[in-house]
Structure formats: structure tokens, C-alpha cells
Amino acid sequence: MRTYEQDAKTLELPWPFTGRADELELVRGASATGRRGIVVTGPAGRGKTRLITEAVRGAEHARVTGTPEARHLPFAAFAHLLDGTGSLHGAVRALSGVRLLVVDDAHLLDEASAALVHQLAVHGRTRLLVAATDGVPAPGAVSRLWTGEVLPRLALAPLPAEDTAELLAGAALEPLTVRRLHHLCRGDLRLLRDLVTALVAGGRLVPVPGTGERAWRGPLPVTPAVRERLAPVRERTGPGEREILERLAFAEPATLPLSGFDPAALGLPGSHPSGSELDVLERLETDGLIVVGEDGAVALADPLHGPALRAATGRLRARRLTGGPDRLGAALDAEQHDLRRRMAELDVRPAPTPVGDWLLAEGGPVPAGYAAVRARYARLRGEVRDAAAWAREGLRREPGHTGCGAELALAAAESDEPGRLGPDGDDGHAHRTAVRLGLPAGPLPAGSVFARHAEALARRDGAALDRAGMALEERGFLLFAAEAHAQAVRAHRDPRAARRSRTRALALARRCQGARTPVLAGLVLGELTARQRQIVALAASGLSNREIAERLTLSVRTVGNHLYSAYTRLGTGDRGALPCLVAETA
């Protein structure tokens, strides 16, 4: 789902409405005739307002918004709709003609407005779409909308990494920069916009040769949104609190074990932490500013706090606090060894890589050998654009590095040149798999999930291919898993089983950064009618049902019926998967 609209709050240049297809359909369904509505909750900046705005696009509705300045004025949020009504009963009666009401920032409503919203939800005929921010005080009448089960609640999850990448596609950022932004912002789209704007305006994005993309290396820009997120740290005024948080920021990416605690790592006096120092750590943990692992390791809880504290610290103090990139050599070697071990064990599930990530972000020297290992690990996980970026990073440090060059070629082969890997089929399948895994040519490891995959393919056993796909996914090989399910589509005799396999293949392929191997290129739009193919293509481009109807001079209901029939044949109800499907037939 990708549409554009001027931001409802900031009135700045628009960003695309991206992802959230399932949530959008849920909110639209909740606002349909006969439904009472829904409450959308989540932290500030997660996109609640934009989601609801998209859901009511083209529908007649009224809108009210809570504001902190008017919280003491009765019915302040409804002043433009009530025409001087002074009682709750009169307000409910005055709004009887409103069929759809959007209530934004409901946590900021005055008590009278909150009571009115609650009464409309309980007794009125008005359908309500309510947005409220988590973690802040809200009027009881508002919180009872979901705690009392008056309206269903949609807790908005952070935008997934692949949707964040799609959102930032227009900024032409290289994938490692996109991943860094996604990690720092933790779903706060306002912060994401703020950081990207600052990076562009400050000239901090460096062109990546041969790609048309730009990369961010170096310190975090201290923008107003960053300062707002840093406020809980700045407000710490207790003895030693700010000091410990700063020391933790400059100790990243290492963590500090409390067992056998080394106070020198935090710059604290003595051989062991005093009772007061432990009290400080306990307070910081209680307030959610630090996290303590099961092994006693201490780290900052918010991934933004470390970079923000480092960026806001003066040069002299920073020089005294930091040990510099050279201190991380042994830790980087251990991280590289761990990744090699995991790949040798054919297990590429997400692994912690704080040292390499920190060096890359800070613009430190990333050895080419380490970059090649990171590229291979990312490629085996199906993160083909990340793999290419790590390979380029290694080649930038050491031009002509064999490992990085090979990984860059393999990542390119799995990105947009599927023909380079040869046609799909039994012959040569095991050989190509061995090449992609970095194994010697020949039989795949006996009993491994890859050997089971090859055997199922040789037998054309759809059920076994699906089982192999699920096993590959469990071990982190998302692209290989997508291919196994895609092969199962053609092996199944039962059309329903084939549709299920297609759905799994598409869902996994969507997480693989646009990878297009020969196997995935075989996934087509099925036996759709010409009109269905036309409507699916328009839906894949980001148009809503209403916009498609206007373009083709059809009713919205007709467009919906065609899409429903297409979804049934394609074996997917995920509108977000349509661009992947259409791309495979291009």
C-alpha cells in the first residue's frame, strides 16, 4: 500500500503511506455501517493519525482533536461542532447526525469531551475512529473505551524493516543506512522524518560509487526530535545518574557485567561499586533507561540514547571518555568467528553484531575480511541489498578483495539478474545451492535441510518441499525457504495446497529485499482475467479501490469484487504482496 497525502499535522511535504495493509483494512472495516468503530493506540510518532486519515480518505466524516492547551475547557475539542451546547445530553443529541467521527489525540481531550466520546460509543449511532498515545495519562472515559471493551483496540506495532525501506525509497539511501535509521527510530516515524531531513540538509549523506545511493556514516544529528527523545536522560539529576549514562554511551558497543563489576569501565572509583552506585543502577533500570541481561550485562535501553549522548558531548570530554575504534579489535574478531561458526552449522538466524554495526555507523575502519563475512551472512538470510552494501564497504577499504568481490557478484545475481543462476529444475540444483552456500561443489551435507530440499525437488513432492521451506525459514534461510515454497506450487496437485505454498513464498520473498532468483521468477499472476490483471496492477502501484474505480469508470464494489476473486486465485489476501507478484511477471 503506497499512497500520498499532505501530512495531517505538520503540513510538510508528503511522505508515502506505506505498508499497514492489514491494519488499514481493519480500520476501514471497523468504520463500515453497522460497526461501532475502533481505537488505535501506540507510542507518539508511530503513524496512528496517518493510518486513520488514510482509512477515511474519500468518506464523509467529522474530526476532533485533543490539545494540551484546551484540556481545562469543557467540550473544547467539539467547539466547532456543538454550537454552544452546554450539557452532555445536549451534545450527544447535537451530534446525532454525524455518522463517522475521527477523534485524534484522544488522550489530550478535556474531561467533558472525553465523556462525550464515551457516550457516543456506548449509546450513539456514530461510528468512532479514535487515536490515543500509549504511556501517557488519559481521561478515564477515554481509556475505558478499550479497557471496558466498548470498542476494539488496535495496538499499532512498529513499521517493519521492509516497509521502512519502502518508505525511504525516494531518499535513495543505501540499505545499511536504512537499517541504522530503522533501528534508531524504533517505529517513531516523526523522528525518522526529522533525521532524514537533517541528514540531507546537513550534507551528511555521501554518494556510494556505482549505485546512485547515499550512505550515512558518522555521528547522529542532534535535532529537536532527538532532543525530545533524550529528555528522560537530561532530566536525570540524581547523584551519579547522568555520569553513569554517559559512561555507558561511550562504552558502546561493549556491555558491562555486574558480576565481577569493573567500575573502571564506568570511570567509578574503587574496586567494586558502592551501595550508592548500585542504587543508581537500580533506579535507572526501574525507570527503563538501562537494561540488565541475565548475565549481568548493562546497556542503555533506548538505541538512540548512546549516539545522542555522544553527539551532544564536547570534544574534550568525549576524548577522555572514549577508547576509540582500536579498542574493539579482539571483539570484532570474536564476532566474525561466531558468524563463521553459525554459517558452518547452517544456521543463519539473527545474531548479535554490535561491534561491526558500531564501527560501520561511526565511520570506523571495517576490515574487508569482516565485511565479506557480513555480506555472506546477510545474503544467506536473503538480505541481498544488505549483502551488496557490506561487500562494497569492504571493497572501499581494500579494493580487489576477493571475498568481497565474490559476494558482491552473488548478491547481484540474486537481486535483479536471475538468469545468471541458470534455469530452475533438478539438474544442477545441488551444485548451485553449494555455490551459493560457499560449499565445495558436490553432494550437499547428508541429512541437512538443504539435502532434504534437493531430494524433495527431485521427487517433485510438494508437501516435502513445503516442509523443507519451513525448516529453512526456521534456520534463517529466508530466500531459500521462499524458493522451496515456490517450487512446491508447481509440484502440488491440489490447487488449495498450491495456493498456500504461493502465499508462503510471496510472504518470504517480500522480506528478501527484492531478490529475484530463477525459481521466484516463475511465480506469476495465475490465470486471471484481463480486467483482474489490470486492477491488480493498479492496486500494486498503490492506488486505493476508490482511485482504481475512478480511473476505470467502475464502481468501488466492482473493483473490490475483482480484487477478491484475484486474491482467491493468487492464494493471498495481502495487498502488500501485490507489487512483488506484478514484478515477477515484468
Side-chain angles (χ1 to χ4, degrees):
M1 175 62 61
R2 187 178 175 90
T3 60
Y4 292 81
E5 180 178 278
Q6 189 176 49
D7 188 280
K9 289 187 175 180
T10 64
L11 300 181
E12 296 177 359
L13 292 176
W15 271 28
F17 179 84
T18 301
R20 306 284 194 206
D22 293 340
E23 294 93 334
L24 183 61
E25 291 304 313
L26 184 61
V27 175
R28 282 176 171 165
S31 64
T33 302
R35 303 290 181 88
R36 303 172 75 175
I38 196 170
V39 180
V40 181
T41 65
R46 186 151 291 181
K48 303 180 295 295
T49 299
R50 187 63 186 276
L51 173 65
I52 291 178
T53 299
E54 191 66 28
V56 300
R57 180 193 294 272
E60 184 178 350
H61 67 282
R63 180 185 292 266
V64 299
T65 303
T67 59
E69 297 80 7
R71 293 189 72 168
H72 63 289
L73 299 175
F75 299 116
F78 286 87
H80 61 295
L81 298 175
L82 292 181
D83 193 23
T85 299
S87 70
L88 180 60
H89 177 72
V92 171
R93 186 173 57 214
L95 294 174
S96 61
V98 176
R99 290 291 173 261
L100 179 60
L101 177 65
V102 172
V103 183
D104 199 8
D105 287 339
H107 57 288
L108 296 177
L109 290 176
D110 59 272
E111 293 292 342
S113 294
L116 175 55
V117 170
H118 192 273
Q119 288 298 304
L120 289 172
V122 173
H123 302 297
R125 293 179 296 175
T126 302
R127 304 186 299 280
L128 295 166
L129 300 183
V130 182
T133 297
D134 286 336
V136 297
V142 169
S143 59
R144 284 195 297 274
L145 288 174
W146 62 87
T147 60
E149 299 183 353
V150 177
L151 294 177
R153 178 188 185 185
L154 170 61
L156 208 57
L159 201 66
E162 56 267 24
D163 287 334
T164 301
E166 185 179 351
L167 181 68
L168 294 173
L173 301 177
E174 56 101 36
L176 300 183
T177 295
V178 172
R179 188 173 292 278
R180 183 183 179 188
L181 287 166
H182 175 75
H183 174 69
L184 291 175
C185 294
R186 296 204 303 181
D188 188 335
L189 300 182
R190 287 187 296 182
L191 174 62
L192 181 66
R193 177 200 293 267
D194 192 56
L195 284 178
V196 173
T197 301
L199 291 172
V200 172
R204 300 197 185 194
L205 296 175
V206 179
V208 180
T211 68
E213 297 175 335
R214 298 175 292 175
W216 168 36
R217 304 287 187 266
L220 181 80
V222 184
T223 67
V226 170
R227 292 191 185 95
E228 182 180 342
R229 276 273 292 272
L230 197 57
V233 173
R234 294 185 178 278
E235 292 168 359
R236 306 307 300 198
T237 57
E241 291 180 333
R242 179 67 182 272
E243 175 78 8
I244 286 180
L245 291 171
E246 278 192 348
R247 295 287 176 178
L248 283 172
F250 281 91
E252 289 183 333
T255 54
L256 305 171
L258 288 179
S259 175
F261 185 85
D262 179 10
L266 289 178
L268 301 174
S271 58
H272 295 284
S274 67
S276 62
E277 290 157 0
L278 286 176
D279 290 342
V280 171
L281 290 169
E282 288 175 2
R283 288 200 303 271
L284 294 175
E285 182 186 20
T286 300
D287 292 343
L289 291 177
I290 65 173
V291 290
V292 181
E294 293 182 359
D295 60 351
V298 183
L300 294 169
D302 190 326
L304 188 78
H305 285 171
L309 283 170
R310 293 194 296 271
T313 302
R315 290 186 179 180
L316 292 177
R317 182 166 176 76
R319 186 176 300 174
R320 180 166 64 85
L321 291 173
T322 186
D326 293 340
R327 66 187 171 89
L328 301 175
L332 190 69
D333 290 343
E335 195 170 277
Q336 180 174 339
H337 175 76
D338 179 62
L339 293 177
R340 287 186 180 277
R341 176 187 60 79
R342 290 170 180 267
M343 288 187 288
E345 295 173 355
L346 298 182
D347 188 343
V348 293
R349 282 172 281 198
T353 52
V355 184
D357 294 341
W358 187 88
L359 277 176
L360 182 81
E362 297 292 326
V366 179
Y370 175 87
V373 171
R374 287 297 299 268
R376 182 181 167 203
Y377 202 88
R379 178 177 56 79
L380 293 180
R381 286 185 44 76
E383 297 161 349
V384 292
R385 297 191 67 236
D386 283 11
W390 274 109
R392 291 190 189 97
E393 188 71 21
L395 291 170
R396 184 171 70 88
R397 297 288 180 184
E398 189 177 328
H401 187 273
T402 304
C404 288
E407 287 301 329
L408 184 60
L410 284 168
E414 295 182 359
S415 295
D416 57 0
E417 301 177 48
R420 293 177 58 178
L421 287 179
D424 179 33
D426 297 341
D427 296 336
H429 174 74
H431 173 74
R432 287 196 303 276
T433 299
V435 170
R436 294 165 70 188
L437 290 172
L439 300 173
L444 295 168
S448 70
V449 65
F450 289 98
R452 298 199 302 272
H453 176 204
E455 292 165 2
L457 181 60
R459 298 195 310 267
R460 298 292 178 183
D461 187 332
L465 283 166
D466 279 331
R467 289 194 297 271
M470 288 185 281
L472 286 163
E473 179 184 1
E474 182 182 356
R475 299 182 74 83
F477 294 96
L478 302 187
L479 182 56
F480 288 88
E483 291 176 322
H485 289 302
Q487 290 159 337
V489 172
R490 292 184 289 275
H492 280 302
R493 294 183 179 180
D494 181 353
R496 292 174 298 179
R499 286 195 294 268
R500 286 193 295 268
S501 298
R502 181 190 295 277
T503 298
R504 291 169 181 161
L506 288 170
L508 288 166
R510 188 166 181 261
R511 296 164 59 188
C512 293
Q513 301 182 336
R516 294 185 63 195
T517 68
V519 178
L520 294 181
L523 283 179
V524 296
L525 282 174
E527 297 299 324
L528 303 184
T529 67
R531 178 64 88 183
Q532 286 170 345
R533 287 195 297 272
Q534 184 182 31
I535 290 174
V536 165
L538 291 173
S541 71
L543 296 185
S544 67
N545 288 10
R546 185 175 298 277
E547 290 167 331
I548 296 172
E550 292 172 353
R551 178 170 296 193
L552 301 180
T553 319
L554 300 172
S555 70
V556 176
R557 181 182 297 275
T558 299
V559 170
N561 288 340
H562 278 305
L563 278 175
Y564 179 80
S565 298
Y567 286 147
T568 300
R569 293 192 180 189
L570 296 173
T572 179
D574 180 8
R575 198 180 186 108
L578 293 181
C580 179
L581 270 171
V582 173
E584 299 300 345
T585 64

